[in-house]
Amino acid sequence: MSQGKNTDDQQVATQGQSRNVATQRSERPLLPPADIYEEADAIRVVADMPGVSKDGLNIEVDGTELTISGDIRVDTPEGLTASYAEIRGSQYYRQFILGREIDKERISAEMDNGELTVVLPKKESHRPRQIEVKTA
Amino acid sequence: MFEDLWRFATPQLGGRDWLREMLDDAFLDRGASDIRAVPRGTFPMVNLGATDDAVYVYVFAPGVDPKALDISIQDNVLTLRGERRLPGKGTDTEQWPVFHRRERMGGHFSRVLTLPEGVDGDATEAFSRDGVIQIKLPKRAEQKRRKIEVKAQ
Protein backbone atom coordinates (compact mmCIF):
# COMPACT_ATOMS: atom_id res chain seq x y z
CA MET A 1 0.00 0.00 0.00
CA SER A 2 2.66 2.47 -0.98
CA GLN A 3 2.06 6.02 -2.09
CA GLY A 4 3.58 5.19 -5.45
CA LYS A 5 0.77 2.80 -6.33
CA ASN A 6 -1.70 5.65 -6.25
CA THR A 7 -0.73 6.96 -9.67
CA ASP A 8 -3.42 5.17 -11.65
CA ASP A 9 -6.05 5.85 -9.07
CA GLN A 10 -9.73 6.06 -9.67
CA GLN A 11 -10.66 9.70 -10.05
CA VAL A 12 -12.73 10.85 -7.13
CA ALA A 13 -15.74 12.78 -8.29
CA THR A 14 -16.36 16.04 -6.53
CA GLN A 15 -19.73 17.61 -5.97
CA GLY A 16 -20.19 19.10 -9.44
CA GLN A 17 -19.77 15.97 -11.53
CA SER A 18 -21.48 13.52 -9.20
CA ARG A 19 -23.97 10.91 -10.30
CA ASN A 20 -27.13 10.66 -8.30
CA VAL A 21 -26.68 7.35 -6.55
CA ALA A 22 -30.10 7.45 -4.93
CA THR A 23 -31.90 6.97 -8.21
CA GLN A 24 -29.96 3.84 -9.05
CA ARG A 25 -31.00 2.05 -5.91
CA SER A 26 -33.85 -0.23 -6.79
CA GLU A 27 -33.10 -2.84 -4.11
CA ARG A 28 -31.48 -2.73 -0.73
CA PRO A 29 -27.72 -2.45 -1.28
CA LEU A 30 -25.16 -4.45 0.67
CA LEU A 31 -23.14 -2.76 3.39
CA PRO A 32 -19.47 -3.45 2.72
CA PRO A 33 -17.47 -4.24 5.88
CA ALA A 34 -14.75 -1.67 6.45
CA ASP A 35 -11.62 -1.02 8.47
CA ILE A 36 -10.84 2.59 9.26
CA TYR A 37 -7.55 3.62 10.73
CA GLU A 38 -5.59 6.70 11.48
CA GLU A 39 -2.14 7.56 10.20
CA ALA A 40 -0.10 10.64 10.93
CA ASP A 41 -0.96 12.35 7.64
CA ALA A 42 -4.17 10.57 6.56
CA ILE A 43 -7.15 8.45 7.51
CA ARG A 44 -7.49 5.23 5.55
CA VAL A 45 -10.72 3.38 4.80
CA VAL A 46 -10.37 -0.19 3.54
CA ALA A 47 -13.60 -1.85 2.45
CA ASP A 48 -14.45 -5.30 1.08
CA MET A 49 -16.26 -4.96 -2.23
CA PRO A 50 -15.71 -8.20 -4.13
CA GLY A 51 -17.18 -8.23 -7.63
CA VAL A 52 -16.72 -4.48 -8.13
CA SER A 53 -14.34 -3.42 -10.89
CA LYS A 54 -12.59 -0.09 -11.12
CA ASP A 55 -15.23 1.07 -13.60
CA GLY A 56 -18.13 -0.06 -11.43
CA LEU A 57 -16.85 1.87 -8.44
CA ASN A 58 -18.20 5.29 -7.53
CA ILE A 59 -16.77 7.51 -4.81
CA GLU A 60 -18.29 10.87 -4.07
CA VAL A 61 -17.62 13.67 -1.65
CA ASP A 62 -20.58 15.98 -1.07
CA GLY A 63 -19.90 18.55 1.61
CA THR A 64 -18.74 16.45 4.55
CA GLU A 65 -20.31 13.23 3.24
CA LEU A 66 -18.21 10.50 1.70
CA THR A 67 -20.25 8.02 -0.33
CA ILE A 68 -18.81 4.74 -1.51
CA SER A 69 -20.84 2.64 -3.91
CA GLY A 70 -20.13 -0.06 -6.43
CA ASP A 71 -21.96 -2.36 -8.80
CA ILE A 72 -21.35 -6.05 -8.24
CA ARG A 73 -20.64 -7.81 -11.50
CA VAL A 74 -19.97 -11.51 -11.57
CA ASP A 75 -19.70 -13.40 -14.85
CA THR A 76 -22.35 -16.07 -14.86
CA PRO A 77 -22.84 -18.54 -17.70
CA GLU A 78 -26.07 -18.77 -19.63
CA GLY A 79 -28.74 -20.82 -17.89
CA LEU A 80 -27.19 -20.77 -14.41
CA THR A 81 -29.58 -21.54 -11.59
CA ALA A 82 -28.47 -20.48 -8.13
CA SER A 83 -28.68 -23.19 -5.51
CA TYR A 84 -27.12 -21.40 -2.57
CA ALA A 85 -26.12 -17.75 -2.05
CA GLU A 86 -24.41 -15.93 0.78
CA ILE A 87 -23.99 -12.75 -1.28
CA ARG A 88 -27.31 -11.49 -2.62
CA GLY A 89 -27.46 -8.10 -4.21
CA SER A 90 -26.17 -6.04 -7.04
CA GLN A 91 -24.69 -3.05 -5.25
CA TYR A 92 -22.62 -1.99 -2.26
CA TYR A 93 -23.35 1.33 -0.62
CA ARG A 94 -21.92 3.05 2.42
CA GLN A 95 -21.53 6.59 3.71
CA PHE A 96 -19.21 8.25 6.19
CA ILE A 97 -19.04 11.78 7.55
CA LEU A 98 -15.66 13.45 7.17
CA GLY A 99 -14.05 15.84 9.59
CA ARG A 100 -12.98 19.34 8.64
CA GLU A 101 -9.31 18.39 8.74
CA ILE A 102 -9.65 16.19 5.63
CA ASP A 103 -8.28 17.71 2.44
CA LYS A 104 -11.15 16.81 0.09
CA GLU A 105 -9.28 17.79 -3.06
CA ARG A 106 -6.60 15.19 -2.47
CA ILE A 107 -8.73 12.15 -1.66
CA SER A 108 -7.58 9.12 -3.62
CA ALA A 109 -8.79 5.57 -3.98
CA GLU A 110 -7.48 2.28 -5.22
CA MET A 111 -9.20 -1.00 -6.03
CA ASP A 112 -7.22 -4.19 -5.70
CA ASN A 113 -8.77 -7.65 -5.92
CA GLY A 114 -12.13 -6.43 -4.65
CA GLU A 115 -10.54 -4.54 -1.78
CA LEU A 116 -11.08 -0.79 -1.85
CA THR A 117 -8.65 1.57 -0.14
CA VAL A 118 -9.62 5.23 0.21
CA VAL A 119 -6.95 7.60 1.47
CA LEU A 120 -8.28 10.75 3.15
CA PRO A 121 -5.28 13.07 3.56
CA LYS A 122 -5.29 15.57 6.40
CA LYS A 123 -4.71 19.24 5.74
CA GLU A 124 -1.22 20.44 6.38
CA SER A 125 -2.36 22.47 9.39
CA HIS A 126 -3.71 19.32 11.07
CA ARG A 127 -0.62 17.15 10.90
CA PRO A 128 0.72 16.09 14.28
CA ARG A 129 3.39 18.17 15.94
CA GLN A 130 5.55 16.98 18.72
CA ILE A 131 4.75 18.91 21.88
CA GLU A 132 7.75 19.49 24.00
CA VAL A 133 7.24 19.25 27.74
CA LYS A 134 9.23 21.90 29.51
CA THR A 135 10.54 21.31 32.96
CA ALA A 136 10.14 24.03 35.52
CA MET B 1 -15.54 12.45 27.14
CA PHE B 2 -15.40 8.73 27.81
CA GLU B 3 -18.47 7.82 25.71
CA ASP B 4 -16.04 7.09 22.94
CA LEU B 5 -14.39 4.25 24.80
CA TRP B 6 -17.26 1.84 24.22
CA ARG B 7 -15.93 1.03 20.79
CA PHE B 8 -12.80 -0.57 22.15
CA ALA B 9 -14.78 -3.20 23.98
CA THR B 10 -16.80 -4.36 20.97
CA PRO B 11 -16.23 -7.69 19.26
CA GLN B 12 -14.68 -8.07 15.80
CA LEU B 13 -17.82 -7.14 13.93
CA GLY B 14 -17.87 -3.79 15.64
CA GLY B 15 -21.51 -3.96 16.61
CA ARG B 16 -22.51 -3.80 12.98
CA ASP B 17 -24.60 -6.94 13.28
CA TRP B 18 -26.22 -6.52 16.68
CA LEU B 19 -29.71 -6.59 15.21
CA ARG B 20 -29.01 -9.72 13.21
CA GLU B 21 -27.48 -11.35 16.26
CA MET B 22 -30.55 -10.47 18.30
CA LEU B 23 -32.89 -11.79 15.64
CA ASP B 24 -30.81 -14.93 15.16
CA ASP B 25 -31.04 -15.50 18.87
CA ALA B 26 -34.79 -15.03 18.92
CA PHE B 27 -35.56 -17.02 15.78
CA LEU B 28 -32.69 -19.47 15.86
CA ASP B 29 -33.40 -22.53 13.82
CA ARG B 30 -33.07 -25.35 16.33
CA GLY B 31 -33.55 -27.93 13.62
CA ALA B 32 -30.80 -30.00 12.10
CA SER B 33 -28.57 -28.28 9.57
CA ASP B 34 -25.99 -29.53 7.14
CA ILE B 35 -22.85 -30.72 8.92
CA ARG B 36 -20.75 -28.29 6.88
CA ALA B 37 -23.14 -25.35 7.17
CA VAL B 38 -21.50 -22.21 8.55
CA PRO B 39 -22.89 -19.07 10.15
CA ARG B 40 -23.57 -16.18 7.81
CA GLY B 41 -20.63 -13.91 7.26
CA THR B 42 -17.98 -16.62 7.36
CA PHE B 43 -14.99 -15.64 5.23
CA PRO B 44 -14.84 -16.18 2.32
CA MET B 45 -18.50 -16.01 1.39
CA VAL B 46 -19.63 -18.41 -1.28
CA ASN B 47 -22.40 -18.64 -3.86
CA LEU B 48 -23.27 -21.87 -5.65
CA GLY B 49 -25.06 -22.47 -8.90
CA ALA B 50 -25.36 -25.02 -11.66
CA THR B 51 -26.03 -25.28 -15.35
CA ASP B 52 -26.90 -28.44 -17.26
CA ASP B 53 -23.20 -29.17 -17.75
CA ALA B 54 -21.37 -27.88 -14.71
CA VAL B 55 -21.49 -26.75 -11.11
CA TYR B 56 -20.21 -23.22 -10.44
CA VAL B 57 -18.76 -21.99 -7.17
CA TYR B 58 -18.22 -18.26 -6.64
CA VAL B 59 -15.81 -17.44 -3.85
CA PHE B 60 -15.92 -13.83 -2.64
CA ALA B 61 -12.37 -13.36 -1.37
CA PRO B 62 -11.51 -9.64 -1.46
CA GLY B 63 -7.93 -8.78 -0.70
CA VAL B 64 -6.72 -12.33 -1.23
CA ASP B 65 -4.08 -12.98 -3.84
CA PRO B 66 -5.83 -15.52 -6.11
CA LYS B 67 -2.51 -17.29 -6.71
CA ALA B 68 -2.12 -17.84 -3.00
CA LEU B 69 -5.58 -19.40 -2.68
CA ASP B 70 -5.35 -23.16 -2.36
CA ILE B 71 -8.31 -24.91 -3.97
CA SER B 72 -8.54 -28.67 -3.75
CA ILE B 73 -11.26 -31.19 -4.48
CA GLN B 74 -11.77 -34.75 -3.40
CA ASP B 75 -14.88 -36.43 -4.73
CA ASN B 76 -17.53 -33.80 -4.16
CA VAL B 77 -15.86 -32.05 -1.25
CA LEU B 78 -14.23 -28.74 -2.11
CA THR B 79 -11.64 -27.20 0.22
CA LEU B 80 -10.49 -23.57 0.08
CA ARG B 81 -7.50 -22.43 2.05
CA GLY B 82 -5.68 -19.14 2.13
CA GLU B 83 -4.54 -16.20 4.08
CA ARG B 84 -5.66 -12.62 4.13
CA ARG B 85 -3.39 -9.96 5.49
CA LEU B 86 -5.06 -6.94 6.98
CA PRO B 87 -3.45 -3.56 7.54
CA GLY B 88 -1.45 -3.46 10.71
CA LYS B 89 2.04 -2.63 11.74
CA GLY B 90 4.66 -3.41 9.16
CA THR B 91 7.60 -4.24 11.33
CA ASP B 92 8.06 -5.13 14.97
CA THR B 93 9.38 -1.71 15.82
CA GLU B 94 6.49 0.10 14.15
CA GLN B 95 3.54 1.20 16.24
CA TRP B 96 0.04 -0.17 15.70
CA PRO B 97 -2.13 2.34 13.85
CA VAL B 98 -5.18 3.69 15.67
CA PHE B 99 -8.22 1.75 14.47
CA HIS B 100 -11.62 3.41 14.47
CA ARG B 101 -13.37 0.46 12.93
CA ARG B 102 -12.39 -3.16 12.35
CA GLU B 103 -15.11 -5.10 10.63
CA ARG B 104 -13.06 -7.29 8.35
CA MET B 105 -11.57 -10.65 9.20
CA GLY B 106 -7.95 -11.45 8.63
CA GLY B 107 -5.48 -14.26 9.01
CA HIS B 108 -5.61 -17.84 7.79
CA PHE B 109 -8.91 -19.25 6.67
CA SER B 110 -10.25 -22.50 5.30
CA ARG B 111 -13.70 -23.48 4.13
CA VAL B 112 -15.02 -26.85 3.13
CA LEU B 113 -18.06 -27.18 0.90
CA THR B 114 -20.15 -30.18 -0.07
CA LEU B 115 -20.98 -30.07 -3.76
CA PRO B 116 -23.59 -32.10 -5.58
CA GLU B 117 -22.49 -35.65 -6.44
CA GLY B 118 -20.92 -36.39 -9.79
CA VAL B 119 -18.60 -33.48 -10.48
CA ASP B 120 -15.38 -34.12 -12.36
CA GLY B 121 -12.59 -32.87 -10.13
CA ASP B 122 -9.91 -33.43 -12.79
CA ALA B 123 -11.57 -31.07 -15.27
CA THR B 124 -12.11 -28.31 -12.73
CA GLU B 125 -10.94 -24.83 -13.63
CA ALA B 126 -10.86 -21.58 -11.71
CA PHE B 127 -10.36 -17.96 -12.63
CA SER B 128 -10.43 -14.76 -10.70
CA ARG B 129 -11.70 -11.22 -11.26
CA ASP B 130 -12.17 -8.32 -8.85
CA GLY B 131 -11.80 -10.50 -5.78
CA VAL B 132 -14.31 -13.12 -6.94
CA ILE B 133 -12.96 -16.55 -7.84
CA GLN B 134 -15.14 -18.59 -10.14
CA ILE B 135 -14.63 -22.34 -9.94
CA LYS B 136 -16.18 -24.41 -12.71
CA LEU B 137 -16.65 -28.10 -12.00
CA PRO B 138 -17.99 -30.00 -15.02
CA LYS B 139 -20.54 -32.70 -14.31
CA ARG B 140 -19.65 -36.23 -15.23
CA ALA B 141 -21.36 -37.52 -18.34
CA GLU B 142 -23.81 -39.67 -16.38
CA GLN B 143 -24.90 -36.63 -14.33
CA LYS B 144 -25.60 -34.41 -17.30
CA ARG B 145 -29.09 -33.74 -18.46
CA ARG B 146 -30.10 -36.08 -21.27
CA LYS B 147 -32.93 -35.77 -23.63
CA ILE B 148 -35.08 -38.87 -23.77
CA GLU B 149 -36.51 -39.59 -27.12
CA VAL B 150 -39.96 -41.10 -27.22
CA LYS B 151 -40.10 -43.86 -29.77
CA ALA B 152 -43.30 -44.36 -31.64
CA GLN B 153 -44.35 -47.89 -32.39
Side-chain angles (χ1 to χ4, degrees):
Chain A
M1 221 179 289
S2 67
Q3 285 301 111
K5 268 175 90 180
N6 290 344
T7 43
D8 61 344
D9 280 347
Q10 171 89 14
Q11 278 296 308
V12 175
T14 44
Q15 206 171 343
Q17 60 211 114
S18 66
R19 280 195 291 160
N20 189 358
V21 179
T23 55
Q24 303 169 356
R25 291 160 68 193
S26 50
E27 58 177 43
R28 201 169 147 248
L30 301 174
L31 188 75
D35 289 347
I36 300 177
Y37 61 103
E38 188 98 23
E39 288 181 335
D41 53 356
I43 294 176
R44 275 171 194 265
V45 180
V46 188
D48 284 345
M49 298 170 85
V52 178
S53 67
K54 209 174 141 179
D55 300 328
L57 179 70
N58 192 40
I59 299 176
E60 286 180 24
V61 181
D62 185 356
T64 56
E65 239 169 50
L66 170 74
T67 305
I68 296 167
S69 62
D71 296 321
I72 306 170
R73 271 198 41 225
V74 175
D75 290 327
T76 47
E78 192 92 16
L80 183 89
T81 43
S83 49
Y84 173 73
E86 289 172 352
I87 298 258
R88 291 161 197 265
S90 59
Q91 209 194 27
Y92 297 103
Y93 184 89
R94 195 155 181 179
Q95 286 185 314
F96 296 103
I97 306 292
L98 304 179
R100 271 185 307 159
E101 77 279 16
I102 301 299
D103 186 350
K104 288 174 209 145
E105 302 304 312
R106 287 171 49 234
I107 296 173
S108 63
E110 189 189 320
M111 198 73 182
D112 181 26
N113 262 330
E115 191 180 58
L116 170 73
T117 304
V118 184
V119 182
L120 308 163
K122 295 177 197 171
K123 285 178 188 154
E124 209 64 61
S125 53
H126 286 75
R127 304 272 169 91
R129 277 159 305 183
Q130 200 70 41
I131 314 289
E132 203 183 314
V133 181
K134 287 175 186 144
T135 45
Chain B
M1 126 178 229
F2 290 111
E3 292 90 40
D4 241 8
L5 288 178
W6 66 268
R7 68 182 179 220
F8 297 106
T10 53
Q12 266 279 297
L13 284 172
R16 192 168 61 86
D17 275 354
W18 65 270
L19 182 61
R20 182 184 286 164
E21 275 170 28
M22 199 179 85
L23 291 172
D24 277 354
D25 214 35
F27 300 105
L28 191 65
D29 184 7
R30 307 271 171 197
S33 60
D34 187 284
I35 195 78
R36 292 196 175 97
V38 293
R40 272 195 155 269
T42 301
F43 189 89
M45 291 213 254
V46 164
N47 283 5
L48 284 177
T51 60
D52 289 346
D53 303 322
V55 172
Y56 288 84
V57 181
Y58 296 90
V59 184
F60 295 83
V64 175
D65 179 8
K67 290 190 191 80
L69 185 72
D70 178 26
I71 306 167
S72 61
I73 182 158
Q74 187 178 14
D75 262 347
N76 62 330
V77 178
L78 182 75
T79 306
L80 309 161
R81 272 179 223 281
E83 187 190 0
R84 177 156 88 145
R85 299 182 66 91
L86 292 188
K89 54 178 189 169
T91 59
D92 280 349
T93 50
E94 234 174 88
Q95 272 192 326
W96 276 95
V98 178
F99 277 95
H100 299 297
R101 214 174 256 280
R102 293 186 86 168
E103 295 168 350
R104 307 184 314 140
M105 312 237 185
H108 290 273
F109 61 83
S110 55
R111 258 199 97 162
V112 180
L113 304 167
T114 317
L115 301 176
E117 298 281 341
V119 290
D120 186 356
D122 293 333
T124 298
E125 31 184 45
F127 73 92
S128 140
R129 207 185 79 177
D130 301 328
V132 182
I133 294 121
Q134 187 197 73
I135 307 169
K136 181 187 177 188
L137 306 109
K139 292 180 185 172
R140 283 187 212 283
E142 65 267 23
Q143 296 288 337
K144 285 186 186 167
R145 180 197 287 261
R146 271 164 306 192
K147 198 152 175 73
I148 314 291
E149 212 177 303
V150 181
K151 286 173 189 151
Q153 273 195 322

